[in-house]
mmCIF file of all heavy atoms in Angstrom:
data_model
loop_
_atom_site.group_PDB
_atom_site.id
_atom_site.type_symbol
_atom_site.label_atom_id
_atom_site.label_comp_id
_atom_site.label_asym_id
_atom_site.label_seq_id
_atom_site.Cartn_x
_atom_site.Cartn_y
_atom_site.Cartn_z
ATOM 1 N N VAL A 5 163.519 10.383 174.184
ATOM 2 C CA VAL A 5 164.806 9.853 174.654
ATOM 3 C C VAL A 5 165.227 8.717 173.717
ATOM 4 O O VAL A 5 164.462 7.766 173.503
ATOM 5 C CB VAL A 5 164.708 9.345 176.110
ATOM 6 C CG1 VAL A 5 166.070 8.845 176.582
ATOM 7 C CG2 VAL A 5 164.206 10.450 177.033
ATOM 8 N N VAL A 10 177.811 3.461 170.945
ATOM 9 C CA VAL A 10 178.904 3.282 169.981
ATOM 10 C C VAL A 10 179.530 1.906 170.236
ATOM 11 O O VAL A 10 179.886 1.180 169.322
ATOM 12 C CB VAL A 10 179.952 4.406 170.112
ATOM 13 C CG1 VAL A 10 181.183 4.127 169.261
ATOM 14 C CG2 VAL A 10 179.323 5.738 169.705
ATOM 15 N N PRO A 45 168.304 11.110 158.932
ATOM 16 C CA PRO A 45 167.772 12.370 159.480
ATOM 17 C C PRO A 45 166.348 12.648 159.000
ATOM 18 O O PRO A 45 165.519 13.147 159.764
ATOM 19 C CB PRO A 45 168.751 13.430 158.954
ATOM 20 C CG PRO A 45 169.988 12.683 158.600
ATOM 21 C CD PRO A 45 169.580 11.293 158.234
ATOM 22 N N ARG A 56 155.560 15.634 167.888
ATOM 23 C CA ARG A 56 155.704 17.014 168.377
ATOM 24 C C ARG A 56 156.772 17.085 169.483
ATOM 25 O O ARG A 56 156.573 17.661 170.554
ATOM 26 C CB ARG A 56 154.349 17.558 168.860
ATOM 27 C CG ARG A 56 153.375 17.783 167.694
ATOM 28 C CD ARG A 56 152.062 18.389 168.137
ATOM 29 N NE ARG A 56 151.265 17.440 168.897
ATOM 30 C CZ ARG A 56 150.860 17.622 170.161
ATOM 31 N NH1 ARG A 56 151.162 18.708 170.810
ATOM 32 N NH2 ARG A 56 150.126 16.711 170.769
ATOM 33 N N ALA A 98 179.627 5.660 184.778
ATOM 34 C CA ALA A 98 178.318 5.072 185.041
ATOM 35 C C ALA A 98 178.312 3.557 184.898
ATOM 36 O O ALA A 98 177.329 2.912 185.216
ATOM 37 C CB ALA A 98 177.278 5.676 184.118
ATOM 38 N N ILE A 125 175.530 16.970 192.901
ATOM 39 C CA ILE A 125 176.704 17.480 193.614
ATOM 40 C C ILE A 125 176.784 16.854 195.021
ATOM 41 O O ILE A 125 175.812 16.835 195.760
ATOM 42 C CB ILE A 125 176.706 19.023 193.638
ATOM 43 C CG1 ILE A 125 178.111 19.532 193.911
ATOM 44 C CG2 ILE A 125 175.750 19.602 194.651
ATOM 45 C CD1 ILE A 125 178.415 20.823 193.220
ATOM 46 N N GLY A 140 205.658 6.680 192.509
ATOM 47 C CA GLY A 140 206.698 7.703 192.640
ATOM 48 C C GLY A 140 207.421 8.003 191.343
ATOM 49 O O GLY A 140 208.637 8.178 191.332
ATOM 50 N N THR A 164 208.641 -0.027 193.729
ATOM 51 C CA THR A 164 210.007 -0.479 193.472
ATOM 52 C C THR A 164 210.929 0.082 194.574
ATOM 53 O O THR A 164 210.470 0.776 195.480
ATOM 54 C CB THR A 164 210.508 -0.009 192.089
ATOM 55 O OG1 THR A 164 210.644 1.407 192.117
ATOM 56 C CG2 THR A 164 209.541 -0.409 190.978
ATOM 57 N N GLY A 165 212.222 -0.163 194.420
ATOM 58 C CA GLY A 165 213.167 0.257 195.456
ATOM 59 C C GLY A 165 213.540 1.723 195.392
ATOM 60 O O GLY A 165 214.263 2.233 196.252
ATOM 61 N N ALA A 185 217.956 13.389 183.521
ATOM 62 C CA ALA A 185 218.415 13.280 184.910
ATOM 63 C C ALA A 185 218.609 14.658 185.534
ATOM 64 O O ALA A 185 218.388 14.845 186.736
ATOM 65 C CB ALA A 185 219.705 12.482 184.965
ATOM 66 N N THR A 258 220.742 -5.860 180.667
ATOM 67 C CA THR A 258 221.930 -6.267 181.400
ATOM 68 C C THR A 258 221.467 -6.908 182.719
ATOM 69 O O THR A 258 220.264 -7.096 182.911
ATOM 70 C CB THR A 258 222.869 -5.068 181.634
ATOM 71 O OG1 THR A 258 224.060 -5.535 182.260
ATOM 72 C CG2 THR A 258 222.237 -4.023 182.513
ATOM 73 N N ARG A 334 205.103 -10.322 163.989
ATOM 74 C CA ARG A 334 205.731 -10.074 162.682
ATOM 75 C C ARG A 334 207.042 -9.286 162.784
ATOM 76 O O ARG A 334 207.790 -9.222 161.816
ATOM 77 C CB ARG A 334 204.760 -9.388 161.731
ATOM 78 C CG ARG A 334 204.273 -8.033 162.165
ATOM 79 C CD ARG A 334 203.275 -7.482 161.142
ATOM 80 N NE ARG A 334 202.824 -6.156 161.487
ATOM 81 C CZ ARG A 334 201.839 -5.909 162.332
ATOM 82 N NH1 ARG A 334 201.217 -6.885 162.921
ATOM 83 N NH2 ARG A 334 201.479 -4.659 162.588
ATOM 84 N N LYS A 339 213.134 -13.012 169.080
ATOM 85 C CA LYS A 339 213.697 -14.025 168.178
ATOM 86 C C LYS A 339 215.011 -13.498 167.602
ATOM 87 O O LYS A 339 216.005 -14.208 167.541
ATOM 88 C CB LYS A 339 212.669 -14.239 167.057
ATOM 89 C CG LYS A 339 212.809 -15.511 166.300
ATOM 90 C CD LYS A 339 211.498 -15.734 165.523
ATOM 91 C CE LYS A 339 211.828 -16.290 164.157
ATOM 92 N NZ LYS A 339 210.730 -16.107 163.216
ATOM 93 N N ASP A 382 228.141 -5.480 174.201
ATOM 94 C CA ASP A 382 229.531 -5.250 174.597
ATOM 95 C C ASP A 382 229.875 -3.808 174.216
ATOM 96 O O ASP A 382 229.758 -3.432 173.039
ATOM 97 C CB ASP A 382 230.406 -6.252 173.818
ATOM 98 C CG ASP A 382 231.881 -6.078 174.122
ATOM 99 O OD1 ASP A 382 232.223 -5.095 174.804
ATOM 100 O OD2 ASP A 382 232.671 -6.914 173.658
ATOM 101 N N SER A 416 210.349 8.353 169.044
ATOM 102 C CA SER A 416 210.996 7.710 167.892
ATOM 103 C C SER A 416 211.852 8.733 167.134
ATOM 104 O O SER A 416 212.950 8.423 166.669
ATOM 105 C CB SER A 416 209.950 7.123 166.949
ATOM 106 O OG SER A 416 209.246 6.107 167.609
ATOM 107 N N LEU A 417 211.337 9.949 167.034
ATOM 108 C CA LEU A 417 212.127 11.004 166.387
ATOM 109 C C LEU A 417 213.369 11.317 167.232
ATOM 110 O O LEU A 417 214.459 11.550 166.705
ATOM 111 C CB LEU A 417 211.284 12.269 166.206
ATOM 112 C CG LEU A 417 210.133 12.149 165.204
ATOM 113 C CD1 LEU A 417 209.185 13.336 165.320
ATOM 114 C CD2 LEU A 417 210.659 12.059 163.778
ATOM 115 N N ALA A 431 222.654 4.887 158.499
ATOM 116 C CA ALA A 431 221.368 5.246 157.876
ATOM 117 C C ALA A 431 220.276 4.996 158.908
ATOM 118 O O ALA A 431 220.332 4.022 159.660
ATOM 119 C CB ALA A 431 221.134 4.389 156.653
ATOM 120 N N ASP A 438 200.913 7.966 160.853
ATOM 121 C CA ASP A 438 200.636 9.409 160.866
ATOM 122 C C ASP A 438 201.617 9.992 161.865
ATOM 123 O O ASP A 438 201.844 9.395 162.910
ATOM 124 C CB ASP A 438 199.228 9.709 161.389
ATOM 125 C CG ASP A 438 198.160 9.172 160.477
ATOM 126 O OD1 ASP A 438 198.137 9.566 159.309
ATOM 127 O OD2 ASP A 438 197.353 8.353 160.958
ATOM 128 N N GLU A 447 206.365 19.879 166.099
ATOM 129 C CA GLU A 447 206.415 19.851 164.633
ATOM 130 C C GLU A 447 207.801 20.317 164.162
ATOM 131 O O GLU A 447 208.410 19.728 163.271
ATOM 132 C CB GLU A 447 205.305 20.758 164.073
ATOM 133 C CG GLU A 447 205.168 20.754 162.564
ATOM 134 C CD GLU A 447 204.871 19.379 161.982
ATOM 135 O OE1 GLU A 447 204.227 18.553 162.650
ATOM 136 O OE2 GLU A 447 205.326 19.132 160.844
ATOM 137 N N VAL A 461 209.656 7.644 156.488
ATOM 138 C CA VAL A 461 208.859 6.952 155.471
ATOM 139 C C VAL A 461 207.438 6.779 155.980
ATOM 140 O O VAL A 461 207.225 6.217 157.062
ATOM 141 C CB VAL A 461 209.450 5.541 155.192
ATOM 142 C CG1 VAL A 461 208.676 4.856 154.068
ATOM 143 C CG2 VAL A 461 210.926 5.616 154.892
ATOM 144 N N HIS A 472 220.591 -14.698 156.209
ATOM 145 C CA HIS A 472 222.056 -14.792 156.278
ATOM 146 C C HIS A 472 222.616 -13.897 157.398
ATOM 147 O O HIS A 472 223.545 -13.119 157.194
ATOM 148 C CB HIS A 472 222.699 -14.416 154.933
ATOM 149 C CG HIS A 472 222.014 -15.060 153.775
ATOM 150 N ND1 HIS A 472 222.004 -16.422 153.583
ATOM 151 C CD2 HIS A 472 221.274 -14.531 152.783
ATOM 152 C CE1 HIS A 472 221.295 -16.699 152.503
ATOM 153 N NE2 HIS A 472 220.828 -15.569 151.997
ATOM 154 N N VAL A 483 203.665 7.302 150.259
ATOM 155 C CA VAL A 483 203.798 8.598 149.581
ATOM 156 C C VAL A 483 204.340 8.381 148.162
ATOM 157 O O VAL A 483 203.868 8.968 147.192
ATOM 158 C CB VAL A 483 204.712 9.539 150.393
ATOM 159 C CG1 VAL A 483 204.977 10.827 149.641
ATOM 160 C CG2 VAL A 483 204.088 9.839 151.751
ATOM 161 N N PRO A 520 187.380 2.171 178.987
ATOM 162 C CA PRO A 520 187.380 0.979 178.130
ATOM 163 C C PRO A 520 188.792 0.491 177.788
ATOM 164 O O PRO A 520 188.988 -0.692 177.542
ATOM 165 C CB PRO A 520 186.647 1.433 176.869
ATOM 166 C CG PRO A 520 186.299 2.846 177.057
ATOM 167 C CD PRO A 520 186.670 3.300 178.409
ATOM 168 N N LEU A 527 186.910 12.306 186.409
ATOM 169 C CA LEU A 527 185.511 12.664 186.649
ATOM 170 C C LEU A 527 184.863 13.230 185.398
ATOM 171 O O LEU A 527 183.762 12.853 185.021
ATOM 172 C CB LEU A 527 185.447 13.685 187.796
ATOM 173 C CG LEU A 527 184.053 14.097 188.235
ATOM 174 C CD1 LEU A 527 183.282 12.905 188.749
ATOM 175 C CD2 LEU A 527 184.130 15.163 189.312
ATOM 176 N N VAL A 557 203.454 16.564 184.296
ATOM 177 C CA VAL A 557 203.826 17.494 185.370
ATOM 178 C C VAL A 557 202.696 18.513 185.589
ATOM 179 O O VAL A 557 202.330 18.831 186.730
ATOM 180 C CB VAL A 557 205.170 18.186 185.040
ATOM 181 C CG1 VAL A 557 205.477 19.305 186.013
ATOM 182 C CG2 VAL A 557 206.295 17.152 185.048
ATOM 183 N N ALA A 562 198.189 20.374 188.972
ATOM 184 C CA ALA A 562 196.759 20.689 189.116
ATOM 185 C C ALA A 562 196.147 19.853 190.238
ATOM 186 O O ALA A 562 195.347 20.353 191.036
ATOM 187 C CB ALA A 562 196.029 20.427 187.804
ATOM 188 N N GLU A 589 166.679 13.593 191.182
ATOM 189 C CA GLU A 589 165.583 13.966 190.276
ATOM 190 C C GLU A 589 164.894 15.237 190.791
ATOM 191 O O GLU A 589 164.654 16.179 190.030
ATOM 192 C CB GLU A 589 164.602 12.799 190.226
ATOM 193 C CG GLU A 589 163.840 12.715 188.920
ATOM 194 C CD GLU A 589 162.750 11.648 188.983
ATOM 195 O OE1 GLU A 589 163.092 10.479 189.231
ATOM 196 O OE2 GLU A 589 161.583 12.008 188.791
ATOM 197 N N GLN A 600 164.230 28.371 184.414
ATOM 198 C CA GLN A 600 163.154 28.922 183.583
ATOM 199 C C GLN A 600 162.623 30.232 184.156
ATOM 200 O O GLN A 600 162.217 31.122 183.427
ATOM 201 C CB GLN A 600 162.008 27.918 183.490
ATOM 202 C CG GLN A 600 162.177 26.981 182.302
ATOM 203 C CD GLN A 600 161.289 25.760 182.440
ATOM 204 O OE1 GLN A 600 160.336 25.774 183.205
ATOM 205 N NE2 GLN A 600 161.619 24.728 181.707
ATOM 206 N N PRO A 602 164.203 32.758 186.387
ATOM 207 C CA PRO A 602 165.352 33.226 187.165
ATOM 208 C C PRO A 602 164.971 34.239 188.240
ATOM 209 O O PRO A 602 165.653 34.369 189.262
ATOM 210 C CB PRO A 602 166.287 33.851 186.123
ATOM 211 C CG PRO A 602 165.609 33.762 184.804
ATOM 212 C CD PRO A 602 164.307 33.066 184.967
#
Side-chain angles (χ1 to χ4, degrees):
V5 182
V10 172
R56 291 183 290 120
I125 200 147
T164 67
T258 184
R334 62 182 183 276
K339 200 164 141 199
D382 178 352
S416 296
L417 292 168
D438 295 301
E447 184 59 30
V461 184
H472 314 295
V483 174
L527 184 61
V557 171
E589 208 187 301
Q600 270 163 19

